[in-house]
Amino acid sequence: MIATLTAGIKTYDTPRLAAGPGDDAASASDLNTTAALDFCQRWLAGQEEFTLHTSGSTGAPKPITLRREQMAASAAATGQALGLRPGMAALVCLPVRYIAGQMMLVRGLELGLAMTLVEPSGDPLASLPAAARFDFTAVVPLQLQTLLAGPPGYRARLNGMTAILVGGAPVSAALEQQLASLAAPVWHTYGMTETATHIALRRLNGPDASLWFHPLPGVEIDVDKRGCLRAKSPTTLDHWLQTNDLVELAASPLPAPRSPAFRWLGRWDNVINSGGVK
């Protein structure tokens, strides 16, 4: 099944996205839609490299160039881990100029999802009809808090999802407690721009809820002398990537080639991310 992208009142199938935004770019009501149409055209044209900027957790934001194969590998691993299937409906509510939103587009295009794009805001469902239903989305904690506190219909729409990703900031204990009453699987992500978003997930609710992140298929992890995580996977072109994240590795060994789970303890350099301010 081919991917589709709905933005406002217009729905674009894959051939239309491949043709480029054309006049729709000029008439788009927001820059996010223009950027999404442009990215989809470049991806479908086979562009090999994409430049994004880091979030600035370890200093000033810097440009990072990712290869197509890294981003495609990330999308495939996410699809496998979450059971995403062609034709599923995905809500894209994060800015597509950054890696989290851009990778939602890659997942949609690579996995054949029916994407709905909305202007990023605290309430991702506010501009959508009450009948709109989704199987999959990625949000930041603030958006998830808003949805949980929203109208009664919001909870039913969340519970109808196959998977909800939440990332971009630590998840508070209060939010985790709220998620205990949600039936849909909610996953906290661990990753960064350099790894084309998440390389590990931990379940936030249900019987499998845990403090431990489990690496995605194909991800190898280790720690340096400081106890900081390093990782290698197809999303890093199989090169070791060193982080400043202090972690605890699970003591129980796992059968090869699976990597151990890990628990995030904090930043070695003591950078604090609160509400998007670092």
Side-chain angles (χ1 to χ4, degrees):
M1 182 169 179
I2 63 174
T4 62
L5 176 68
T6 297
I9 61 173
K10 293 186 177 181
T11 297
Y12 306 82
D13 60 15
T14 303
R16 180 66 185 84
L17 290 170
D23 293 339
D24 288 336
S27 62
S29 60
D30 60 86
L31 294 176
N32 197 57
T33 298
T34 302
L37 293 173
D38 174 69
F39 175 81
C40 288
Q41 192 275 331
R42 290 186 289 125
W43 183 268
L44 292 169
Q47 183 169 319
E48 286 295 332
E49 293 186 342
F50 299 84
T51 300
L52 302 101
H53 285 80
T54 62
S55 63
S57 294
T58 57
K62 58 183 179 181
I64 295 291
T65 298
L66 294 176
R67 291 191 56 78
R68 181 187 189 88
E69 61 194 278
Q70 295 173 264
M71 300 167 81
S74 175
T78 297
Q80 179 181 345
L82 301 182
L84 302 179
R85 302 183 304 276
M88 281 185 165
L91 175 62
V92 183
C93 57
L94 298 173
V96 300
R97 68 183 183 276
Y98 295 118
I99 189 62
Q102 198 163 109
M103 279 305 303
M104 281 296 292
L105 296 177
V106 175
R107 292 173 197 132
L109 295 170
E110 289 293 292
L111 302 176
L113 306 181
M115 298 176 282
T116 295
L117 179 75
V118 297
E119 176 72 4
S121 70
D123 183 349
L125 296 178
S127 64
L128 295 171
R133 295 290 186 271
F134 302 97
D135 300 296
F136 170 54
T137 193
V139 294
V140 296
L142 176 61
Q143 290 175 312
L144 190 52
Q145 287 177 322
T146 301
L147 293 173
L148 289 170
Y154 276 20
R155 185 170 289 268
R157 294 159 83 176
L158 289 173
N159 276 331
M161 294 191 186
T162 297
I164 300 169
L165 295 178
V166 57
V171 175
S172 69
L175 178 54
E176 288 200 47
Q177 289 178 350
Q178 288 180 276
L179 292 173
S181 62
L182 201 64
V186 183
W187 302 90
H188 191 198
T189 65
Y190 176 86
M192 58 209 76
T193 303
E194 294 91 330
T195 59
T197 64
H198 52 269
I199 55 171
L201 300 172
R202 73 177 179 101
R203 182 73 179 267
L204 290 175
N205 63 343
D208 295 325
S210 173
L211 293 174
W212 298 87
F213 286 94
H214 293 269
L216 293 183
V219 175
E220 297 180 51
I221 63 169
D222 198 355
V223 293
D224 67 4
K225 293 180 180 180
R226 301 171 299 166
C228 290
L229 184 75
R230 63 183 193 132
K232 179 175 74 169
S233 76
T235 66
T236 67
L237 298 177
D238 289 319
H239 297 146
W240 285 103
L241 176 70
Q242 182 65 58
T243 77
N244 285 324
D245 289 317
L246 290 166
V247 301
E248 175 188 354
L249 297 184
S252 301
L254 292 171
R258 292 184 60 192
S259 288
F262 64 91
R263 187 163 65 95
W264 185 80
L265 303 177
R267 294 284 300 183
W268 182 77
D269 48 6
N270 292 321
V271 171
I272 296 173
N273 184 338
S274 177
V277 177
K278 301 181 195 307

